[in-house]
C-alpha cells in the first residue's frame, strides 16, 4: 500500500497538471467543507505516528493544540532532514511536492491554522526550488493559505522542533526548555502551533480520502500504516522504499538493498538514523521495522534510515566518526552535552590510535551517565544511547585496540 509514494514513479509528477491527473487535490472542495473535528478524529483513529523520528501520536498532538486557547494558530512542517542516514523527505520534495502541499492545506484547515511554514534543510537547494515552484503553481488550490518556506543554515540541531521554531523566529537555533505539562503545545511567535515532519503531513491526504481503517489495514496494531524506509552503507542498492511497519529488517536489506555488497558478511545495522543504538547481526536477523520491536533491543526505529556495516568495518572507527559529528553539532547550551560529546570523541580517538586502555571504556560509561537526562533536549541522551550501544555490543573490538 502506497500512502506517500504512489506518484514517485510517474514522470513529471512534480508538475501540478500531472499530479492533478493522478489524484492530487481531488475532492478538496468537499474535504474543506467537512467538520474540522471529523478530520482530526480520522487522523487520531488512524494511529498515524510522527515520521520525523520520535513516533509520537499525531492525533493526540493535534487535539492538544486545538484545545489550547490561542488567537492564532500555525502549522509548521519539519523538512530539516539532518539525521545521518536519512533521506526520505527529499523524495517527497523532489518527486511529489504537491502531495505535501495538499497535506498542508487539509491539515491547516483541520487545525484552524492561519499560515503554514516549511523549514527545509539548508543544503536542499534543489528541493527548495521544487517545493517553492509547487507552492507558486498551487495558488488556486491553496485558497489563500500562505505557505512560507524557511531555509536552514546547516545546523543539525535545527531539526529539533523547538530549535527550529527559534530559527523561524529569527533567533539562534537553540532548543527550548520543555514544559512540564505534556498537553501544552509548541509556540511560534507566541501562538500555538503544531510541528510535524514532511512525511507525516504528506500521509494526511491518504487517510482523509481513503479512511482511517484503510491506513490501519497494514502495519502493526501499535505502529499502523507505512514508512519511507531507507537503506544505505554496505549494500548493493541503497534506496528509499515505502513499506508497512512490521516488515522484517533483514528482508528489507536483502530485497531492496540487494544484500551486503561484495558478498561480505553482515556485521551490524544502525536502524533509525545515526541516533538509534546499533544492532548486532543476530539482532538484525530477528528485528522487525516497528517502534515497539526495536525498543526491545534498547534501540529505536527513529527515521527508518538503516545504515548497514559489513565485517570489514571497524566499529570503534564508526563510533569515532559519529562522535565527530555530534561534537560539531551540539548547540553548546548544556555543559554535559557540550563537554561530554567532545570528551567522548577524544577518548574513542585515543582507543582507535592504539593509545587507549581498558579504563577508557569506564570513562565512556561515566560520560554517558552525565549525558542522560540532565540536558535541555534529547540530543545528549541520544548520544549516550549511541555510545553505550557500540561499547557494549562490540566491546571486544574496543578492547582489542587497547594497549593493556
Ligand atoms: C536532535 C534532533 C534532531 C531532529 N531532527 C529532525 C529532523 O531533521 N526532521 C524531523 O522531522 N524531526 C526531527 N526531530 C524531531 C522533531 O523534534 C519533532 O519531534 C518532529 O519534527 C515532530 O514531527 P512528527 O511528530 O511528525 O515526527 C529531531 C529531534 C532531535 C532531538
Ligand atoms: S542537549 Fe546538547 S544539543 Fe540539546 S540543548 Fe543541550 S547542548 Fe544543545
Amino acid at each position: 500500500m502506497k500512502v506517500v509514494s504512489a506518484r514517485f514513479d510517474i514522470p513529471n509528477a512534480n508538475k501540478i497538471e500531472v499530479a492533478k491527473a493522478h489524484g492530487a487535490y481531488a475532492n478538496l472542495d468537499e474535504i474543506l467543507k467537512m467538520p474540522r473535528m471529523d478530520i482530526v478524529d480520522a487522523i487520531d483513529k488512524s494511529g498515524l505516528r510522527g515520521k520525523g523520528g520520535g513516533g509520537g501520536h499525531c492525533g493526540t498532538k493535534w487535539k492538544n493544540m486545538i484545545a489550547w486557547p490561542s488567537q492564532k494558530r500555525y502549522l509548521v512542517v519539519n523538512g530539516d532532514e539532518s539525521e545521518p542516514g536519512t533521506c526520505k523527505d527529499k523524495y517527497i520534495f523532489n518527486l511529489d511536492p504537491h502531495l505535501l502541499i495538499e497535506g498542508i492545506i487539509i491539515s491547516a484547515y483541520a487545525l484552524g491554522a492561519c499560515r503554514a511554514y516549511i523549514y527545509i534543510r539548508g543544503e536542499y537547494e534543489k528541493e527548495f526550488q521544487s517545493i517553492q515552484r509547487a507552492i507558486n503553481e498551487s495558488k488556486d488550490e491553496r485558497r489563500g493559505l500562505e505557505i512560507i518556506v524557511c531555509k536552514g543554515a546547516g545546523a543539525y540541531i535545527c531539526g529539533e522542533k523547538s530549535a527550529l521554531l527559534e530559527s523561524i523566529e529569527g533567533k539562534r537555533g537553540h532548543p527550548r526548555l520543555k514544559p512540564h505539562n505534556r498537553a501544552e503545545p509548541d509556540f511560534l511567535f507566541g501562538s500555538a502551533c503544531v510541528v510535524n515532519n514532511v512525511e507525516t503531513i504528506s500521509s494526511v491526504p491518504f487517510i482523509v480520502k481513503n479512511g482511517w481503517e484503510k491506513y490501519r489495514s497494514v502495519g502493526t496494531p501499535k505502529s499502523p500504516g507505512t514508512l519511507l524506509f531507507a537503506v544505505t552503507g554496505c549494500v548493493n542498492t541503497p534506496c528509499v522504499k515505502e513499506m508497512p511497519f512490521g516488515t522484517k529488517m533483514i528482508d528489507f536489506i536483502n530485497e531492496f538493498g540487494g544484500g551486503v555488497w561484495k558478498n561480505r558478511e553482515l556485521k551490524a545495522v544502525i536502524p533509525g538514523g545515526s541516533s538509534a543504538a546499533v544492532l548486532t547481526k543476530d539482532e538484525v536477523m530477528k528485528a522487525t521495522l516497528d517502534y515497539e520491536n526495536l525498543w526491545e533491543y534498547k534501540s529505536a526505529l527513529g527515521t527508518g534510515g538503516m545504515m548497514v556495516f559489513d565485517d570489514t568495518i571497524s566499529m570503534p572507527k564508526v563510533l569515532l566518526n559519529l562522535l565527530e559529528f555530534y561534537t560539531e553539532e551540539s548547540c553548546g547550551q548544556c555543559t554535559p552535552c557540550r563537554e561530554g560529546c567532545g570528551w567522548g570523541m577524544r577518548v574513542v580517538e585515543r582507543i582507535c590510535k592504539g593509545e587507549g586502555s581498558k579504563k577508557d571504556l569506564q570513562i565512556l560509561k561515566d560520560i554517558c551517565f552525565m549525558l542522560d537526562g540532565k540536558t535541555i533536549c534529547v540530543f545528549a541522551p541520544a548520544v549516550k544511547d549511541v555510545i553505550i550501544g557500540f561499547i557494549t555490543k562490540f566491546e571486544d573490538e574496543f578492547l582489542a585496540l587497547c594497549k593493556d
Side-chain angles (χ1 to χ4, degrees):
M1 193 172 85
K2 290 183 174 177
V3 174
V4 295
S5 62
R7 290 191 289 263
F8 279 8
D9 294 329
I10 298 169
N12 299 319
N14 59 340
K15 301 210 167 69
I16 194 161
E17 54 288 358
V18 180
K20 278 179 113 172
H22 291 88
Y25 306 111
N27 307 329
L28 201 52
D29 279 330
E30 288 81 68
I31 293 170
L32 299 184
K33 282 184 199 132
M34 282 170 70
R36 294 169 197 269
M37 281 317 282
D38 284 5
I39 299 177
V40 176
D41 280 338
I43 298 302
D44 194 31
K45 286 184 179 147
S46 73
L48 177 66
R49 296 179 68 161
K51 299 183 178 190
H57 194 261
C58 188
T60 308
K61 180 150 88 178
W62 283 24
K63 285 187 168 171
N64 286 341
M65 193 283 241
I66 291 168
W68 199 266
S70 184
Q71 276 196 342
K72 278 186 189 170
R73 294 170 201 281
Y74 297 112
L75 170 64
V76 180
V77 179
N78 189 343
D80 194 57
E81 191 146 85
S82 315
E83 182 72 17
T86 309
C87 50
K88 62 188 185 68
D89 298 341
K90 179 189 184 83
Y91 280 68
I92 297 174
F93 281 132
N94 281 329
L95 301 177
D96 200 359
H98 286 287
L99 178 68
L100 174 60
I101 294 172
E102 188 179 10
I104 290 174
I105 295 168
I106 299 171
S107 306
Y109 169 72
L111 293 164
C114 62
R115 186 186 293 155
Y117 289 85
I118 301 174
Y119 192 91
I120 189 167
R121 181 187 167 108
E123 293 89 337
Y124 277 5
E125 183 55 35
K126 187 172 147 219
E127 292 70 20
F128 169 75
Q129 301 291 344
S130 173
I131 191 70
Q132 191 58 62
R133 198 187 63 191
I135 291 169
N136 297 343
E137 279 180 338
S138 62
K139 195 167 176 292
D140 293 342
E141 287 69 23
R142 285 189 284 113
R143 296 155 170 83
L145 177 71
E146 197 180 4
I147 304 178
I148 296 173
V149 189
C150 301
K151 272 179 162 182
Y156 167 66
I157 198 59
C158 285
E160 196 276 343
K161 61 179 179 171
S162 63
L164 180 148
L165 295 170
E166 289 281 296
S167 177
I168 294 179
E169 289 180 358
K171 302 178 197 146
R172 182 178 286 209
H174 275 176
R176 298 171 181 166
L177 273 172
K178 304 297 175 290
H180 289 291
N181 176 4
R182 283 179 166 262
E184 193 174 314
D186 292 298
F187 294 93
L188 178 64
F189 301 117
S191 295
C193 72
V194 152
V195 182
N196 271 132
N197 171 258
V198 166
E199 190 185 350
T200 315
I201 293 296
S202 300
S203 306
V204 168
F206 179 96
I207 296 167
V208 175
K209 289 177 182 181
N210 297 283
W212 59 268
E213 298 92 339
K214 179 84 180 158
Y215 185 78
R216 285 204 88 107
S217 70
V218 298
T220 70
K222 287 189 175 165
S223 301
T226 66
L227 188 74
L228 283 173
F229 291 99
V231 63
T232 58
C234 306
V235 288
N236 287 306
T237 50
C239 67
V240 171
K241 190 98 189 155
E242 182 171 6
M243 287 298 286
F245 288 107
T247 302
K248 280 198 79 181
M249 184 180 285
I250 191 66
D251 289 350
F252 190 97
I253 292 168
N254 286 335
E255 195 173 331
F256 304 115
V260 182
W261 67 354
K262 301 179 183 172
N263 286 326
R264 290 180 185 161
E265 278 289 308
L266 177 72
K267 185 192 257 187
V269 174
I270 302 181
S274 68
S275 305
V278 65
L279 302 179
T280 62
K281 181 181 174 182
D282 284 351
E283 290 170 331
V284 174
M285 301 311 276
K286 289 181 273 175
T288 55
L289 293 168
D290 56 273
Y291 297 99
E292 289 69 31
N293 186 264
L294 287 168
W295 287 335
E296 285 179 24
Y297 302 104
K298 295 196 170 66
S299 184
L301 184 75
T303 58
M306 288 166 266
M307 285 187 259
V308 176
F309 301 98
D310 71 34
D311 60 348
T312 67
I313 304 286
S314 155
M315 298 313 272
K317 282 188 184 165
V318 176
L319 179 59
L320 176 59
N321 181 287
L322 292 174
L323 289 178
E324 282 168 358
F325 172 77
Y326 289 116
T327 302
E328 176 76 22
E329 298 298 341
S330 164
C331 85
Q333 284 190 100
C334 321
T335 308
C337 178
R338 185 186 63 242
E339 302 299 327
C341 292
W343 186 8
M345 178 192 73
R346 291 190 296 278
V347 172
V348 176
E349 190 174 28
R350 188 155 72 217
I351 294 173
C352 287
K353 282 184 181 162
E355 294 165 5
S357 77
K358 282 182 202 165
K359 257 193 334 204
D360 284 334
L361 291 184
Q362 187 53 46
I363 292 177
L364 285 173
K365 285 180 191 159
D366 293 347
I367 293 170
C368 285
F369 174 75
M370 295 309 296
L371 288 173
D372 200 17
K374 300 168 188 70
T375 56
I376 293 172
C377 87
V378 297
F379 177 107
V383 176
K384 175 221 93 184
D385 287 342
V386 171
I387 298 177
I388 292 291
F390 274 82
I391 64 173
T392 52
K393 295 182 180 176
F394 296 94
E395 189 183 17
D396 289 357
E397 282 192 46
F398 286 84
L399 288 175
L401 291 174
C402 290
K403 56 186 180 193
D404 54 353

